[in-house]
Amino acid sequence: MNNESSKPYERTLTGVVKEVSGETIPGATVQVKGHTNIVSVSDMYGNFVLKNIPSGKQTIVISFLGMESQEIAYTGQKSITVTMVEKANEIKDVVVTGIYVRKKSSFTGSASTYTKDELKKIGTKNLIQSLKTLEPSLNVVENSSWGSDPNRMPDMEIRGKTSIVGSLESDYDNTGNQPLFIMDGVEVTLQDIMKLPMDRIANVTVLKDAASSAIYGSKAANGVIVVETVRPESGKLRVSYSGNFAVQMPDLTDYNLMNASEKLEYERLAGRYTAKDAYTSQDALDALYYSRLREVKRGVNTYWLSEPLRAVLNHSHNMYIDGGDDSMVYGVGLSYSNDDGVMKGSDRSTVSGNIKLTYRTKSLIFSNDFNIDITNSDHEPVEFSTFAQANPYYLKYNDDGSIPTLLESTDVAGNTIYNPLYLYNIVNKNHTNGMTLRNNFSLIWRFWNAFQLRGRLGLSKSVSKNETFKSPKHPDFLSATLKGSYGSENDDNFAYNGETTITFGKVFNDAHTVNLVGGWYFSEKTVNRNAYMVYGFTSDLHQNPQFSAGFTEGDKPTYNKTISRSTSFYFNGNYSYKNRYLFDANLRWDGSSVFGAQKVFTNTWAVGVGWNINKESWFHLPWADLVKLRFSIGNPGNQNFDAYLSSGTYINNSGYTNHFGTSAILSKFANTNLAWQKTIDKNWGIDLELFKSRLRISADYYHKVTDPLLVSVTMPPSLGFTSLYTNFGGQISQGFSGTVMVNAIKRDDMRLNFNLSFNHSETQYKNIGNKLQAMNEAASNNNSYRRYYDGGSPDDIWAVRSAGINPATGQEIFIKKDGTYTFQYDKNDEVVVGTTADKLQGVVGVSFYYKQFSASANLRYRLGAQVFASTLYNKVENLSEDLMYYNVDRRALYDRWKQPGDIARFKAINNFESTPMSSRFVMDENVLTGESFSVGYETAAKWIRALGAKGASVRVYMNDIFRLASFKEERGTEYPFSRSVSLSFDIRF
């Protein structure tokens, strides 16, 4: 016999390894099962040659990172074609904390991981836009004033609040409830995350409870968002390009303003054209009314809202080059994005570059990651509300096409009413440019099989300059001696941080898995800021301080410098017995210059336990793939505070000198006993995977107690300062969140998935007493519905209850605390009349995959909340006679009381008295939003290969395309919200 099969160790198998799309896979491992020395690796075209296959029946194993391994029976065939299926859940099977990586099956904490593909199926604008759709515990608070302004950062929280909102926000860069952001193991800011191109993201992990986030100790009370960027891979040089193109359009569907005819009729009924005293000429008022009516009858009905707006085409581009060999790999990325807003003049652009280098030699790995970001931004010259206020019976332009300064002469209108277009065309510049440099170097030493030592040093430098110029023609300088202004603010920040960690991981007797991590972290940040403002310009021609008249009397430049330092020592341990019984423990010691000299150091801890019930020998439910119970408890802290929170600070006073030099004035009193704000965080969780993972359920219930709070308390002015930071009171946040995912169709070439996420959170204060009574009184005087009382909530709406409008008189009837009725408003009758917290919110979605085609749809629902309707309060009632010079909500005409017997929601149309806050303006809010729709296609067709490319993909999106609400309320009052339709294109060479 002379055939190949008769030669036991001379049999050879050739073949090609491909993806489902037809794209070949280079670097796949092909070996004979049980013979580790008989192995081959596919080349750049996916081809392999496996030699010296033993006689008899053998099994060929084909494996590749990110793909499901395949086993093929070998009986002597000469060639095969292997089609590999992507292992979709590989990344989801681990938890990345930024310091260590754990298998999710042995992890007791509450954490969720999302891949780049999942994020990009939602949208391509930024990480937060996609993450809020996928992660149920993340709540991005809607800014009803500033809408889609590209130059404002979003406000967000994970699992409710841990700090008092409002009292301290002006004192720190990030709000007190914002999560911690970690990128590639390094702490970064929200601004860094918002600038990060979506194509640079590999995966994102959200750490939600104490067991998962406690490794970050005193910074982790608000949760942690861990971002891993794309790492370069070895092999022949690869080039990938991604382009994203989005058309962004203003969304004005929630505006309900009067047209010209309605506004004129409203003014007539409200008495605008009726003389109120003997000094006012009724004939003149009649003439004014009929002149305006004549303009309305001839068709004047100006739509002002469209004037400052635009539909804008935004685009971003990302190119990434990587390659290398077993010793050295490299990755170079360059990206550009513009995020121009829907208001003319509001623009933002970012240019980013990054270089990643990794060198391996024996047991050492050297890595360096360098990033640069350059940003430029401009703000719109006039707020959107200026246009929303303009009356529609005025013309925009003069007969000759010029823009009038005033919409009507002051003598006729009775007030100075500027044309919004005039204000918009006056030079009012607000430009910011900045540059950020970040470099992180790390060294990893692996020794004794189970040990790893890692050292990391990070440096960052950021500079920014903000310039403002306001024309001397601006109405702000109408009565000023020095007209026009120029302002400059310069920030120069430098920070360094470093970390040393040692890890140990080993499995003993195939049953006991032990993972240990110990480390030391240190950081310092220095912020230098100087600013000045000069006045007195003769024209707009030279927008330079050299052409100003100088400072106003007594004014001078300002300068401040802040330095904050912190250091930490931490330990984490994880143990599992046969992946059945799980245990996590964390201990961390933190020191920070933020807190009092007597409280510089503190410790935080966390413990977690888990039980994989499906691993028990007595568990015999073949349809249950995973049944896991989790519990954790810990006390993470919060450091989102001002660098000199506890320190006494002084302001140099150059106006007064003494024998020792310049004098100083006490600006803030020191509190050496100011303690850390920490939170006892408890979490109960369950994870289920049923029917071969066709049904997956994950749910958590949490209970968080922050005690003591860190609060600013008002002090008597006679002390020389107005507030003191101290510890008292507490806050309880509790709720539940989870996801349900159903694989209705699960085939190699087709999948149909349904997903539902849900979240509920509620918060209340405790042990506050009357210490914040000054804040309560200020809130009541300033028409704010927030109060601070024991048992109350930061989400509560406080107001006096209302029984509605008296049909006979048009007056409001109030309900006192004892239940009796009165026409007299008394703020002492305030009670909780609603809550802005949703009873339930989340996302319901569907995704479909067929071969290379995919589609997804995600709708956000918000149920059971109430809202204080500011539009009804400010644009339907509370309309003084001066406010009649501006446009208002249509309901001010149709829904206000006009005559005895009217059943109306709002007071008499001619009542100009100030309206106090009452429950009449509290509305139920239920919302359904079209948050994300997308359709995509991937291909490796011949024409793509003819271009030298390995594959390409294209995807079309619609984001925030509609919003259905239970009542109409103006949104985006200072900057409109927007809708977007976008396209993404990727190609790989």
Side-chain angles (χ1 to χ4, degrees):
M1 298 179 64
N2 57 6
N3 58 38
E4 185 177 0
S5 61
S6 66
K7 301 175 183 179
Y9 286 88
E10 294 182 11
R11 293 193 296 178
T12 300
L13 175 66
T14 62
V16 61
V17 185
K18 297 181 177 182
E19 295 184 20
V20 174
S21 63
E23 182 178 345
T24 58
I25 300 177
T29 300
V30 185
Q31 75 175 63
V32 178
K33 190 173 184 178
H35 298 268
T36 56
N37 60 329
I38 304 176
V39 63
S40 176
V41 176
S42 61
D43 62 19
M44 62 177 294
Y45 302 106
N47 299 318
F48 68 88
V49 179
L50 186 62
K51 300 180 178 180
N52 299 325
I53 302 175
S55 61
K57 291 184 178 180
Q58 301 293 337
T59 300
I60 309 299
V61 180
I62 304 95
S63 60
F64 184 72
L65 183 65
M67 299 288 181
E68 298 282 356
S69 296
Q70 291 200 26
E71 295 187 0
I72 296 177
Y74 177 75
T75 57
Q77 58 264 47
K78 292 185 178 181
S79 66
I80 59 174
T81 297
V82 181
T83 301
M84 304 195 74
V85 179
E86 184 178 359
K87 186 187 292 184
N89 292 325
E90 183 193 31
I91 294 178
K92 291 179 168 293
D93 290 339
V94 298
V95 175
V96 180
T97 68
I99 296 178
Y100 60 82
V101 178
R102 290 279 188 273
K103 287 186 177 181
K104 191 167 186 178
S105 60
S106 64
F107 193 64
T108 64
S110 178
S112 302
T113 299
Y114 305 99
T115 65
K116 172 184 176 180
D117 289 342
E118 290 176 310
L119 293 165
K120 287 197 68 175
K121 282 183 173 62
I122 302 300
T124 59
K125 186 175 183 180
N126 58 62
L127 170 60
I128 302 302
Q129 179 203 48
S130 296
L131 192 60
K132 71 176 183 179
T133 302
L134 297 172
E135 174 52 49
S137 66
L138 176 64
N139 179 31
V140 178
V141 181
E142 184 179 272
N143 191 328
S144 60
S145 295
W146 293 102
S148 62
D149 188 347
N151 293 310
R152 289 185 180 266
M153 294 297 105
D155 186 14
M156 68 193 73
E157 58 192 41
I158 295 177
R159 292 187 163 188
K161 300 174 176 63
T162 60
S163 299
I164 285 185
V165 180
S167 59
L168 301 175
E169 282 184 359
S170 60
D171 292 321
Y172 30 89
D173 296 332
N174 300 325
T175 62
N177 295 301
Q178 182 174 287
L180 176 69
F181 296 97
I182 303 294
M183 184 163 64
D184 291 332
V186 181
E187 182 179 343
V188 295
T189 66
L190 173 59
Q191 287 82 352
D192 294 325
I193 294 296
M194 296 295 289
K195 289 184 292 188
L196 181 65
M198 291 288 287
D199 294 286
R200 282 193 56 203
I201 299 171
N203 59 78
V204 177
T205 301
V206 183
L207 309 177
K208 294 174 275 192
D209 69 338
S212 62
S213 64
I215 196 69
Y216 294 103
S218 64
K219 299 180 179 183
N222 299 328
V224 183
I225 296 177
V226 181
V227 180
E228 281 207 320
T229 59
V230 174
R231 297 180 180 179
E233 298 180 4
S234 61
K236 190 175 179 179
L237 183 143
R238 290 176 296 273
V239 179
S240 62
Y241 165 80
S242 176
N244 304 296
F245 307 88
V247 177
Q248 199 168 351
M249 302 156 287
D251 179 7
L252 302 177
T253 55
D254 290 311
Y255 274 82
N256 191 33
L257 297 174
M258 294 182 185
N259 61 30
S261 175
E262 290 170 329
K263 182 59 186 352
L264 190 61
E265 177 64 8
Y266 164 74
E267 292 179 356
R268 186 186 68 82
L269 294 174
R272 169 73 178 84
Y273 304 105
T274 301
K276 297 178 176 58
D277 52 54
Y279 302 100
T280 304
S281 169
Q282 183 62 52
D283 290 340
L285 291 175
D286 289 340
L288 176 61
Y289 171 75
Y290 286 111
S291 68
R292 289 176 176 173
L293 180 62
R294 182 171 59 252
E295 291 293 291
V296 171
K297 293 296 185 181
R298 76 180 184 93
V300 174
N301 186 24
T302 302
Y303 187 70
W304 290 98
L305 297 186
S306 62
E307 285 301 318
L309 304 181
R310 62 187 176 183
V312 62
L313 174 63
N314 287 323
H315 53 96
S316 64
H317 309 270
N318 183 75
M319 180 172 287
Y320 188 69
I321 302 171
D322 70 336
D325 53 30
D326 292 339
S327 298
M328 170 77 80
V329 294
Y330 58 87
V332 180
L334 180 65
S335 65
Y336 167 82
S337 69
N338 78 309
D339 186 15
D340 296 343
V342 295
M343 284 196 74
K344 299 171 185 176
S346 67
D347 306 305
R348 188 177 187 87
S349 64
T350 303
V351 178
S352 301
N354 69 289
I355 301 174
K356 283 190 177 184
L357 299 173
T358 300
Y359 175 70
R360 297 180 176 88
T361 173
K362 295 182 180 179
S363 59
L364 295 176
I365 302 175
F366 300 86
S367 297
N368 194 81
D369 185 2
F370 172 77
N371 296 268
I372 180 171
D373 298 314
I374 301 173
T375 59
N376 285 278
S377 64
D378 290 284
H379 292 260
E380 65 283 357
V382 177
E383 293 166 349
F384 185 64
S385 58
T386 304
F387 287 85
Q389 290 174 346
N391 274 322
Y393 50 65
Y394 289 131
L395 291 170
K396 302 175 186 177
Y397 304 99
N398 294 320
D399 292 338
D400 61 0
S402 61
I403 299 175
T405 302
L406 301 177
L407 291 175
E408 201 168 43
S409 68
T410 304
D411 292 339
V412 175
N415 202 350
T416 303
I417 306 174
Y418 285 97
N419 187 336
L421 287 176
Y422 168 77
L423 298 177
Y424 209 85
N425 284 280
I426 291 178
V427 177
N428 187 4
K429 182 180 75 173
N430 186 342
H431 175 79
T432 303
N433 60 69
M435 180 175 67
T436 301
L437 302 172
R438 297 190 307 274
N439 192 83
N440 289 286
F441 174 79
S442 67
L443 170 63
I444 297 176
W445 176 33
R446 293 172 177 162
F447 60 99
W448 297 344
N449 295 325
F451 287 89
Q452 175 179 290
L453 181 65
R454 181 180 73 119
R456 182 188 60 78
L457 179 64
L459 303 173
S460 68
K461 172 78 171 180
S462 66
V463 293
S464 68
K465 182 176 183 178
N466 173 252
E467 288 184 292
T468 61
F469 179 83
K470 189 174 288 187
S471 170
K473 302 174 186 176
H474 199 280
D476 286 358
F477 305 109
L478 196 62
S479 59
T481 304
L482 298 177
K483 301 181 185 297
S485 65
Y486 173 91
S488 176
E489 181 176 306
N490 296 275
D491 281 24
D492 189 340
N493 305 333
F494 176 75
Y496 67 82
N497 59 79
E499 193 169 20
T500 300
T501 59
I502 184 168
T503 62
F504 169 83
K506 192 169 184 178
V507 179
F508 298 92
N509 299 325
D510 294 325
H512 307 276
T513 302
V514 178
N515 292 284
L516 303 174
V517 178
W520 169 50
Y521 171 84
F522 61 92
S523 70
E524 178 179 297
K525 181 178 181 180
T526 303
V527 178
N528 292 282
R529 180 172 295 156
N530 64 77
Y532 66 89
M533 182 76 74
V534 291
Y535 298 87
F537 291 83
T538 57
S539 72
D540 301 335
L541 184 61
H542 301 292
Q543 302 172 19
N544 189 293
Q546 180 180 351
F547 295 90
S548 72
F551 297 103
T552 58
E553 185 177 355
D555 202 3
K556 60 182 179 179
T558 61
Y559 171 82
N560 66 56
K561 178 178 181 179
T562 62
I563 301 176
S564 57
R565 300 183 179 96
S566 67
T567 189
S568 305
F569 302 89
Y570 56 83
F571 168 80
N572 168 267
N574 169 267
Y575 168 79
S576 72
Y577 174 69
K578 292 186 176 181
N579 204 24
R580 185 186 308 164
Y581 308 118
L582 318 172
F583 177 76
D584 279 295
N586 294 273
L587 187 60
R588 180 163 171 143
W589 293 267
D590 289 288
S592 173
S593 60
V594 170
F595 298 96
Q598 306 301 320
K599 305 286 185 179
V600 171
F601 279 88
T602 191
N603 64 78
T604 57
W605 54 269
V607 175
V609 293
W611 182 20
N612 284 322
I613 301 176
N614 56 291
K615 297 290 184 179
E616 295 287 356
S617 58
W618 47 262
F619 188 86
H620 301 295
L621 295 177
W623 46 268
D625 309 303
L626 172 68
V627 180
K628 181 179 181 180
L629 300 179
R630 297 176 279 106
F631 172 75
S632 65
I633 183 173
N635 71 332
N638 188 348
Q639 285 192 41
N640 286 353
F641 303 116
D642 173 38
Y644 295 141
L645 196 67
S646 65
S647 304
T649 56
Y650 296 82
I651 298 175
N652 288 329
N653 185 6
S654 57
Y656 296 92
T657 58
N658 52 43
H659 295 294
F660 302 100
T662 303
S663 63
I665 300 174
L666 181 65
S667 171
K668 188 170 64 179
F669 194 74
N671 184 353
T672 59
N673 290 307
L674 190 68
W676 297 61
Q677 180 173 292
K678 292 191 287 188
T679 301
I680 296 295
D681 185 350
K682 300 176 184 177
N683 186 86
W684 293 262
I686 182 171
D687 301 312
L688 300 174
E689 291 188 15
L690 310 175
F691 309 112
K692 296 182 179 180
S693 296
R694 284 181 175 271
L695 174 61
R696 285 175 286 168
I697 302 173
S698 180
D700 290 271
Y701 170 78
Y702 61 89
H703 185 276
K704 299 159 65 171
V705 180
T706 304
D707 192 357
L709 286 167
L710 197 157
V711 182
S712 174
V713 179
T714 302
M715 304 298 290
S718 58
L719 294 178
F721 49 92
T722 58
S723 64
L724 175 69
Y725 295 99
T726 187
N727 303 108
F728 72 83
Q731 186 168 268
I732 301 172
S733 295
Q734 58 186 343
F736 57 85
S737 63
T739 57
V740 179
M741 302 189 70
V742 179
N743 298 122
I745 300 176
K746 191 177 183 181
R747 303 198 320 236
D748 290 343
D749 64 343
M750 182 185 294
R751 283 177 288 159
L752 177 62
N753 303 327
F754 296 94
N755 61 276
L756 170 70
S757 67
F758 53 88
N759 178 39
H760 168 77
S761 179
E762 55 187 49
T763 306
Q764 70 177 46
Y765 301 122
K766 70 170 191 172
N767 301 330
I768 287 180
N770 61 354
K771 295 181 180 179
L772 296 182
Q773 187 58 32
M775 292 175 64
N776 290 331
E777 292 177 359
S780 179
N781 294 334
N782 295 327
N783 288 332
S784 170
Y785 57 74
R786 181 174 287 130
R787 303 289 184 270
Y788 304 93
Y789 293 110
D790 284 341
S793 169
D795 301 312
D796 284 344
I797 300 174
W798 287 78
V800 175
R801 290 176 293 169
S802 174
I805 301 300
N806 185 348
T809 63
Q811 290 181 285
E812 183 170 11
I813 304 172
F814 299 102
I815 304 175
K816 299 179 69 65
K817 278 187 177 179
D818 60 9
T820 59
Y821 294 85
T822 179
F823 289 112
Q824 298 299 317
Y825 173 84
D826 185 351
K827 66 179 182 180
N828 293 318
D829 291 322
E830 288 179 342
V831 295
V832 176
V833 294
T835 176
T836 59
D838 300 300
K839 286 186 171 57
L840 195 67
Q841 68 161 314
V843 172
V844 57
V846 59
S847 56
F848 176 73
Y849 307 83
Y850 178 69
K851 294 183 178 180
Q852 288 80 51
F853 171 84
S854 63
S856 69
N858 292 276
L859 306 177
R860 176 170 295 278
Y861 64 90
R862 295 177 51 211
L863 306 173
Q866 286 80 43
V867 63
F868 187 86
S870 59
T871 299
L872 301 182
Y873 186 69
N874 295 313
K875 285 193 171 184
V876 176
E877 287 193 21
N878 272 308
L879 300 176
S880 65
E881 291 188 77
D882 288 340
L883 287 177
M884 278 201 294
Y885 296 114
Y886 305 102
N887 202 1
V888 293
D889 191 277
R890 186 174 273 117
R891 287 165 287 193
L893 172 63
Y894 295 108
D895 294 351
R896 291 189 69 164
W897 186 91
K898 299 181 180 66
Q899 59 189 9
D902 281 354
I903 306 299
R905 291 178 57 193
F906 304 106
K907 293 194 304 186
I909 197 168
N910 59 354
N911 186 336
F912 296 108
E913 296 176 357
S914 176
T915 299
M917 298 180 72
S918 73
S919 62
R920 197 162 45 90
F921 301 98
V922 177
M923 302 293 168
D924 291 332
E925 185 179 44
N926 300 300
V927 180
L928 181 67
T929 306
E931 194 153 279
S932 171
F933 299 87
S934 71
V935 177
Y937 184 77
E938 299 182 15
T939 182
K942 289 182 179 180
W943 68 272
I944 290 290
R945 290 179 173 277
L947 298 174
K950 296 173 62 178
S953 63
V954 63
R955 196 166 198 89
V956 178
Y957 305 86
M958 293 189 296
N959 293 101
D960 300 318
I961 204 66
F962 70 83
R963 182 179 187 271
L964 305 176
S966 54
F967 84 104
K968 188 178 283 289
E969 167 79 346
E970 283 186 7
R971 300 164 61 247
T973 53
E974 306 302 333
Y975 197 105
F977 282 84
S978 66
R979 301 167 172 174
S980 67
V981 177
S982 56
L983 179 145
S984 174
F985 174 73
D986 299 273
I987 188 167
R988 303 173 297 280
F989 295 91

